[in-house]
Amino acid sequence: MYRAPVEDIAFTLKHVAGMQEAMDAGQLGDLSDDLVDAILAEAGRFASEEMAPLAQNGEKGTPLKDAVVTTPEGWSELYQNWISGGWNSLTGTPEYGGQGLPTMLSVATNEMWNASSMAFSLCSLLTMGAVEALSAHASDDLKNLYLEKLISGAWTGTMNLTEPAAGSDLSALKARAERNDDGSYRIFGQKIYITYGEHDFADNIIHLVLARLPDAPAGTKGISLFLVPKFLVNSDGTLGARNDLFCNGVEHKLGIHGSPTCTMIYGDGKFGETPGAIGWVIGEENRGLACMFTMMNNARLNVGIQGVAVAEAAYQQALEYAQERTQGRAPGWQGKGMSPIIEHPDIQRDLLTMKALIQASRSIAYSCAHAIDMADSAAERGEADVARHWRERANLLTPVAKAFSTDIGVQAASIGVQVHGGMGFIEETGAARLLRDARIAPIYEGTNGIQAIDLVTRKLSQSGGEHIAGYIDELKVIAAQVARKNSPEFGLTADRLNGALSDLSEATGWMLRALQDGRMVEALAGATPYQRLFGLAAGATYLAKGALVETGDDSARIALCRFCAENLLAQTAALRDAVMQGSTSLLGARAALK
């Protein structure tokens, strides 16, 4: 069963992602080592002892009857215990009852929650996103009425974008809104794939719904965002009448069975005196997509940490199995009978690949969270240029944190099944559940292909390409430190890092020139291999950064860093070639798709 790797998480936060330096500089308020360690320790205890034991209950699904969803056994009580511990309010603004702690701590604890039970943890992920959107864009009246309950977790939030004919392309959206004389709106339409659109965790569910007004411009410029509660809320914060919306169906999915994925119906007259779900606009009319992207950016980083989390859970399970399962006699085995399969080099390769990729993706995700915290801290101090730098860093790392980490989640979970052999294909071991759960993460909150397009077409060109150049230079400084250390324990690490970062630099320059020259098709053809190249090069360099930290027990980190450099970084040259030379053959092979 999963045990939260609190020490690894704390080390990565403090010494790789940058939390220790920021705390020492007073950039994270009153945050201290003792407080960080206490939060992580208690989160690890809750995740390991209270959440993980109930994860398997989610496989029984979420039955729907008379528009009511019943969540798995024990989950509603678990949710109440979770919010009682203050976990939902970790990063919320103190003005509305939040603790005001850094994003880095939220991402770190979210790793533990999702490793314990990804399906359970999805509910809070959407609520946190709703808090972000309301905090940034809602009127004071809406904030005062809804934020405290959402930050505490007493009420939960959802994100309603997708429709049967409008998936990634929201210009096809058909949900409609009509103005009421009192400033409210009536919402009509159908939304699909709504995570925790209906459940029994909380008294109220606050839906954030994209819809179009009658006089709205065509396309995405005519989309507005509305707050539509399941139960209307009185001016004193008490619950009023049921709103005209309900769950019409729950999807039967490949994985995350304990998370109800709902089809929501708005305004068909099932509830309420007059058809139409009553809602209030968030921000300005026809500017809803900008509001929703605030929510989605938060969600994309946290989906990335889901990839790290599932990979970690799969690694722990595979490691335990490999230590117990005996088969054959590994070379050099001196024990009696068959050796544990962990003694076989091929199994060691599998497990080390999992562990290296987990630490690489964890470092990228935590570094993205660090950039968000540094941007917020600088903005509070009125340091506009510093804030812009860190905001651009967060922008750059977000698509990589989402896509690279979730690809790693699937890869690691698949390797985990392989390590189990035939037993991995049997449901009772739980290895298959992790693979099924992991598979959604590269799809939702913007597919990984969309993340690659975002990275290449929007994020590389920040500050005229100077930001990505500066970031690669920072990574090269770490590689140079490895070279200067000149330690035999690092083997060929410095050379391999320099090669990978050279590949990344060359591919980046090619991408920027392609965009400048208007060769968009060529750039898009190389976007996905470029994103993988970025993740491998950056992630391996972060492993080296951690290995350079002297704590008195560095051998394991150095060994893992060297394994990654000498066994996994050979891929970067091939990815560079795919970016720079693969478009002609890719586009020319269209005729083969028959």
Side-chain angles (χ1 to χ4, degrees), residues 481-558:
Q481 290 172 346
V482 177
R484 284 197 301 271
K485 194 171 184 65
N486 196 27
S487 171
E489 287 83 3
F490 279 91
L492 299 174
T493 297
D495 290 341
R496 296 294 185 264
L497 284 176
N498 284 326
L501 294 173
S502 177
D503 292 334
L504 177 59
S505 183
E506 192 174 353
T508 300
W510 183 92
M511 273 291 182
L512 288 170
R513 289 191 297 274
L515 294 171
Q516 187 175 18
D517 295 344
R519 292 182 282 122
M520 182 61 72
V521 174
E522 292 181 44
L524 294 181
T528 289
Y530 176 82
Q531 186 164 249
R532 180 73 175 195
L533 166 57
F534 190 124
L536 278 173
T541 307
Y542 285 135
L543 279 175
K545 183 178 181 180
L548 288 166
V549 176
E550 296 182 1
T551 62
D553 184 20
D554 317 320
S555 59
R557 291 195 303 275
I558 294 173

Side-chain angles (χ1 to χ4, degrees), residues 38-75:
I39 290 171
L40 295 179
E42 176 56 22
R45 185 207 64 78
F46 190 95
S48 305
E49 297 179 8
E50 299 192 40
M51 194 175 288
L54 293 178
Q56 193 61 28
N57 291 358
E59 290 303 278
K60 299 174 183 177
T62 54
L64 171 69
K65 183 178 181 181
D66 298 329
V68 174
V69 166
T70 302
T71 56
E73 181 182 356
W75 281 26

Side-chain angles (χ1 to χ4, degrees), residues 149 155 202-206 229 231-234 236-241:
K149 292 285 192 179
W155 297 346
D203 294 334
N204 207 2
I205 304 172
I206 312 305
F231 288 95
L232 299 176
V233 180
N234 300 317
D236 62 357
T238 60
L239 297 183

Side-chain angles (χ1 to χ4, degrees), residues 89-101 131 135 147-148 151 380:
S89 65
L90 210 63
T91 58
T93 175
E95 181 182 358
Y96 294 100
Q99 300 173 54
L101 291 168
V131 168
S135 297
L147 267 184
E148 183 175 349
I151 286 173
E380 290 175 2

Side-chain angles (χ1 to χ4, degrees), residues 5-23:
V6 174
E7 290 186 6
D8 286 348
I9 288 172
F11 180 87
T12 307
L13 280 175
K14 294 178 182 179
H15 302 297
V16 178
M19 176 181 276
Q20 189 68 58
E21 183 179 349
M23 286 193 298

Side-chain angles (χ1 to χ4, degrees), residues 373-421:
D373 288 332
M374 290 300 94
D376 292 343
S377 176
E380 290 175 2
R381 298 192 304 272
E383 299 173 358
D385 289 343
V386 176
R388 180 178 62 81
H389 167 84
W390 285 112
R391 192 66 62 193
E392 289 189 353
R393 178 61 52 83
N395 291 342
L396 178 68
L397 293 182
T398 293
V400 183
K402 194 278 183 184
F404 182 74
S405 300
T406 56
D407 283 344
I408 295 311
V410 175
Q411 182 180 350
S414 181
I415 294 173
V417 171
Q418 188 71 23
V419 170
H420 281 77

Side-chain angles (χ1 to χ4, degrees), residues 202-435:
D203 294 334
N204 207 2
I205 304 172
I206 312 305
H207 301 282
L208 271 57
V209 184
L210 288 181
R212 193 184 301 277
L213 289 160
D215 54 357
T220 57
K221 294 182 178 179
I223 296 174
S224 300
L225 180 64
F226 299 92
L227 183 155
V228 189
K230 176 181 176 180
F231 288 95
L232 299 176
V233 180
N234 300 317
S235 60
D236 62 357
T238 60
L239 297 183
R242 174 71 183 262
N243 209 350
D244 190 18
L245 62 95
F246 67 99
C247 173
N248 188 50
V250 173
E251 302 292 349
H252 299 280
K253 309 183 295 290
L254 176 67
I256 54 170
H257 293 154
S259 169
T261 302
C262 302
T263 297
M264 301 299 299
I265 305 297
Y266 292 88
D268 81 334
K270 184 179 181 69
F271 296 98
E273 297 179 2
T274 305
I278 299 174
W280 290 265
V281 70
I282 298 173
E284 299 177 21
E285 291 183 353
N286 304 324
R287 297 292 301 274
L289 208 54
C291 302
M292 185 61 81
F293 270 114
T294 298
M295 189 175 188
M296 289 186 71
N297 282 335
N298 172 284
R300 283 173 174 172
L301 173 55
N302 281 302
V303 168
I305 210 64
Q306 287 181 337
V308 178
V310 176
E312 174 67 35
Y315 166 73
Q316 289 190 20
Q317 185 164 327
L319 177 65
E320 182 179 4
Y321 184 82
Q323 291 168 332
E324 296 175 352
R325 173 66 167 166
T326 58
Q327 282 286 284
R329 292 181 63 85
W333 174 247
Q334 300 297 318
K336 295 182 180 179
M338 296 186 292
S339 60
I341 63 173
I342 196 172
E343 301 300 331
H344 292 277
D346 190 57
I347 298 297
Q348 292 175 20
R349 174 181 294 277
D350 282 341
L351 293 168
L352 285 166
T353 297
M354 295 171 80
K355 190 173 183 66
L357 291 175
I358 290 164
Q359 184 57 25
S361 56
R362 176 183 287 134
S363 298
I364 291 171
Y366 288 11
S367 296
C368 183
H370 174 255
I372 293 171
D373 288 332
M374 290 300 94
D376 292 343
S377 176
E380 290 175 2
R381 298 192 304 272
E383 299 173 358
D385 289 343
V386 176
R388 180 178 62 81
H389 167 84
W390 285 112
R391 192 66 62 193
E392 289 189 353
R393 178 61 52 83
N395 291 342
L396 178 68
L397 293 182
T398 293
V400 183
K402 194 278 183 184
F404 182 74
S405 300
T406 56
D407 283 344
I408 295 311
V410 175
Q411 182 180 350
S414 181
I415 294 173
V417 171
Q418 188 71 23
V419 170
H420 281 77
M423 288 303 296
F425 207 67
I426 305 300
E427 287 291 348
E428 68 187 67
T429 65
R433 173 175 66 83
L434 293 172
L435 178 56

